[in-house]
Amino acid sequence: MRLANLLTASLATILAMTMPSAGQAPAPSATAEGSTFRYAYRVDPASLDPHALAETFTLSFLGQIYEPLVGRGKNLELVPALATRWEQPDPRTWRFHLRRDAAFSDGTPFTADDVVFSLRRAKMDGADVAYTITSVTEIRKVDDHTVDLVTAQPNPILPLQITSTYIMSRAWAERHGATAPASVKARVENYASNNANGTGPFMIESRQAGVRTVLVRNPNWRGDNASNLGKVVFTPIQSDATRVAALLSGEVDMAYPVPQQDVPRIEANAGTRVLKGFELRTIFLNMDQKRDELLGSDVKGKNPFKDRRVRQAIYQAINIDAIRDRIMGGSSHVAGTMIAPGINGYDPRLDVRAAPYDPEAAKRLLAEAGYPQGFSFPMDCSNDRYVNDERICQAVVGMLGRVGLKVSLNAQTRTKFFEKVLGRDTAFAMIGWQPLSYDAHSTLQDTMSTPADKIGTYNIGGYSNPKVDELTRLIETEVDPARRAALIVEAMDIDKQDYGHIPLHQAGLAWGLRAGVDVVLRSDDSLELRWVRVEPRTAAAAPR
């Protein structure tokens, strides 16, 4: 991550670069165009290229600048965005009727040419969002305000899949040499990496990657911007303590996520409050089941993770309830399956442990598999991406150690972590997944299907079961809701019985706000700036 050392600096060091000097309150939180909103999150957007990385926060941030054809409302329902309506003239074609009143922030009118260009760009090598339109085989301009997306097979859920597939200006990209995606994983950059030109409600005024990004209202936005914001100042603050201190001191209007142990202190402070909920992201463990020899292990010539008994032993050695209670402050939802409540296809019957926490049973399974003394292997983990990520991994290492598995932890910043694990350079890793479609098909296709061309992109352990692959293909094309739900349960249950992955939990959401700030807490952990309203600070509330 750029300037990672800066993100762990003291509160004074960070905010000195983004706020007025100590002893001075900022100018009143209003400009001639509206109020100023200052907020902090744990990381910076990985790129401003909308196709560069399919990471929830990066896509959420870019969703304030760019727009998809189909968007999401306050309750995650589908709503018109750059398309006013959509229909199926035949089972393999989705027709999108485009807005005639949309324009990019540089004033360029939005047309079908931009849609065709952007979706073709999103399918190129290096585009991390390619999986959202894998089923699309042809992108066809009908006229200046109509586009057809043709799929190989009938795909009833395509509008669900493209709600974070953003549209760029073809003319802008061509003018600035950004016609190809600037892949974060491949460490490729172009003009779009640090500049943006979208049709969304806000636009970039200035950006210092890793330090501060300033947004202002897009004068060409034609939509329902219910906010009273004229300017938005975003500061990435990796340290939980520093982020909370910035909120309590009044230096920021919002800080998230808030650690559970700090919630009572924030709620007890007269000038701040906490909004709470549950994430739709499932945190889970991945075991390399593809290589014939496990990376970094003292077992040579074979891969223990190919043995279901070993995978089950790891599962039964992990006390997920203890992780919830001791690390997550009791706020997480223990996961028995790979999708969260609220994801289409979720079935509570699957949301229970596959086998009980039982270290002695784990030891017996390891002995049966031929490892009575256990074995060693490395674990990859991020230390700045998910709530308490490094602490969770440390706990897992300790629990596995009690059954004889000697695990060496490699915790890194999210940029290095994703580069490593998405390059399949890992034996055992913890990752999170929130389907952009909010549908189980995405989890099946992207984290559980056998890795192939733009399929199984985030199946970093290489889990492979032909029946899961077959069911996933059927789920994408099945139009009968009851039949489709049954197929999802069947596929999810196969992975569960295989111990193909080890789901841990969905973390609790906690957003810290100062008094006088109203936001909409969505379960996808996405802050939509067009719904933020900020009351001017009183003299007592102004930072000192």
Side-chain angles (χ1 to χ4, degrees):
M1 179 184 297
R2 300 184 186 92
L3 303 177
N5 60 326
L6 182 66
L7 301 184
T8 55
S10 67
L11 172 64
T13 302
I14 294 175
L15 295 178
M17 304 183 73
T18 62
M19 303 294 177
S21 60
Q24 286 185 317
S29 291
T31 67
E33 298 79 22
S35 296
T36 295
F37 175 59
R38 297 176 171 86
Y39 77 109
Y41 186 69
R42 66 155 70 90
V43 296
D44 200 40
S47 173
L48 295 188
D49 187 320
H51 305 145
L53 185 67
E55 179 201 46
T56 303
F57 175 72
T58 295
L59 290 175
S60 170
F61 186 89
L62 292 177
Q64 315 312 306
I65 303 161
Y66 289 101
E67 293 180 282
L69 295 176
V70 182
R72 295 279 181 177
K74 293 180 180 180
N75 297 307
L76 298 178
E77 73 278 15
L78 291 186
V79 296
L82 286 174
T84 57
R85 59 189 176 91
W86 45 94
E87 64 198 8
Q88 283 191 279
D90 64 68
R92 292 180 48 241
T93 303
W94 279 97
R95 176 162 294 168
F96 294 87
H97 299 271
L98 309 179
R99 290 190 177 277
R100 295 171 181 266
D101 58 351
F104 292 94
S105 58
D106 67 356
T108 306
F110 159 73
T111 71
D113 290 331
D114 301 303
V115 175
V116 173
F117 162 76
S118 297
L119 297 186
R120 287 176 177 170
R121 185 183 192 269
K123 288 178 72 71
M124 289 182 180
D125 289 342
D128 203 40
V129 299
Y131 68 88
T132 64
I133 47 175
T134 300
S135 66
V136 176
T137 57
E138 184 180 357
I139 304 159
R140 185 168 60 211
K141 174 182 175 180
V142 178
D143 58 43
D144 282 349
H145 296 97
T146 312
V147 172
D148 283 350
L149 302 188
V150 182
T151 58
Q153 302 293 331
N155 180 359
I157 64 168
L158 182 63
L160 297 174
Q161 295 174 321
I162 60 173
T163 56
S164 292
T165 312
Y166 298 131
I167 305 303
M168 301 176 70
S169 163
R170 174 182 174 179
W172 180 85
E174 290 177 343
R175 184 163 63 250
H176 294 291
T179 55
S183 170
V184 169
K185 288 186 281 189
R187 291 186 284 184
V188 173
E189 289 197 359
N190 61 31
Y191 189 79
S193 300
N194 287 292
N195 299 274
N197 177 38
T199 59
F202 291 87
M203 54 189 278
I204 299 288
E205 181 182 74
S206 63
R207 175 163 168 80
Q208 293 171 276
V211 181
R212 180 178 72 166
T213 303
V214 178
L215 305 175
V216 293
R217 290 175 81 103
N218 179 1
N220 294 310
W221 167 252
R222 83 285 148 196
D224 177 22
N225 191 338
S227 78
N228 64 346
L229 306 183
K231 179 176 286 190
V232 177
V233 180
F234 168 72
T235 306
I237 304 178
Q238 180 180 335
S239 163
D240 289 341
T242 306
R243 201 164 55 248
V244 171
L247 175 67
L248 292 173
S249 69
E251 300 291 351
V252 298
D253 301 307
M254 175 178 172
Y256 73 119
V258 168
Q260 290 300 319
Q261 65 268 22
D262 290 313
V263 168
R265 182 160 61 110
I266 295 170
E267 291 182 329
N269 181 47
T272 52
R273 62 192 175 100
V274 177
L275 292 181
K276 302 174 188 174
F278 279 111
E279 286 189 340
L280 293 178
R281 178 188 295 109
T282 299
I283 302 296
F284 59 97
L285 300 173
N286 302 262
M287 298 159 282
D288 176 17
Q289 298 160 62
K290 184 175 182 180
R291 285 184 178 83
D292 292 330
E293 181 174 298
L294 189 62
L295 287 175
S297 175
D298 58 1
V299 176
K300 303 302 179 184
K302 61 180 178 176
N303 182 347
F305 291 160
K306 287 179 176 284
D307 191 320
R308 179 185 178 278
R309 293 169 297 183
V310 172
R311 301 196 299 271
Q312 181 177 345
I314 291 175
Y315 185 91
Q316 292 201 258
I318 298 173
N319 188 342
I320 306 174
D321 289 345
I323 292 174
R324 175 196 61 199
D325 297 338
R326 300 172 192 171
I327 297 176
M328 305 302 291
S331 66
S332 60
H333 172 79
V334 171
T337 184
M338 287 283 286
I339 55 174
I343 297 296
N344 187 45
Y346 169 82
D347 190 317
R349 293 173 298 176
L350 288 178
D351 201 9
V352 294
R353 284 199 64 131
Y357 165 62
D358 189 339
E360 294 306 315
K363 292 177 183 177
R364 290 194 296 271
L365 285 165
L366 288 171
E368 289 174 14
Y371 308 101
Q373 306 304 316
F375 56 94
S376 67
F377 56 92
M379 178 180 189
D380 289 299
C381 186
S382 59
N383 59 18
D384 61 358
R385 178 60 193 98
Y386 310 113
V387 178
N388 297 324
D389 43 9
E390 186 171 7
R391 291 180 61 203
I392 294 167
C393 291
Q394 289 169 344
V396 169
V397 168
M399 292 171 185
L400 296 183
R402 296 187 194 107
V403 300
L405 296 172
K406 298 167 281 295
V407 185
S408 56
L409 180 61
N410 178 31
Q412 302 184 86
T413 61
R414 87 191 204 279
T415 302
K416 293 181 179 179
F417 168 77
F418 281 124
E419 180 183 325
K420 188 172 191 294
V421 301
L422 294 181
R424 302 298 197 277
D425 180 23
T426 186
F428 186 65
M430 187 181 83
I431 198 170
W433 184 256
Q434 174 178 285
L436 297 180
S437 63
Y438 309 111
D439 186 272
H441 176 266
S442 169
T443 299
L444 287 163
Q445 174 183 272
D446 304 314
T447 71
M448 300 161 72
S449 292
T450 304
D453 182 32
K454 298 180 175 61
I455 298 291
T457 306
Y458 283 78
N459 181 2
I460 62 177
Y463 168 73
S464 180
N465 186 306
K467 185 61 177 177
V468 170
D469 297 343
E470 176 190 353
L471 290 168
T472 301
R473 289 190 292 269
L474 292 173
I475 289 162
E476 185 170 46
T477 60
E478 180 57 59
V479 296
D480 179 72
R483 172 62 179 157
R484 188 173 189 272
L487 294 172
I488 290 171
V489 169
E490 184 179 356
M492 289 286 176
D493 192 48
I494 291 171
D495 176 81
K496 183 171 183 171
Q497 299 306 319
D498 277 348
Y499 297 93
H501 302 80
I502 299 177
L504 296 178
H505 60 245
Q506 291 89 35
L509 290 176
W511 292 7
L513 304 167
R514 77 163 175 86
V517 176
D518 288 321
V519 305
V520 174
L521 175 67
R522 292 200 321 195
S523 53
D524 63 349
D525 202 23
S526 174
L527 173 66
E528 293 294 316
L529 295 174
R530 63 192 172 100
W531 298 327
V532 175
R533 295 192 64 83
V534 176
E535 295 179 7
R537 295 173 186 265
T538 64
R544 301 195 186 321

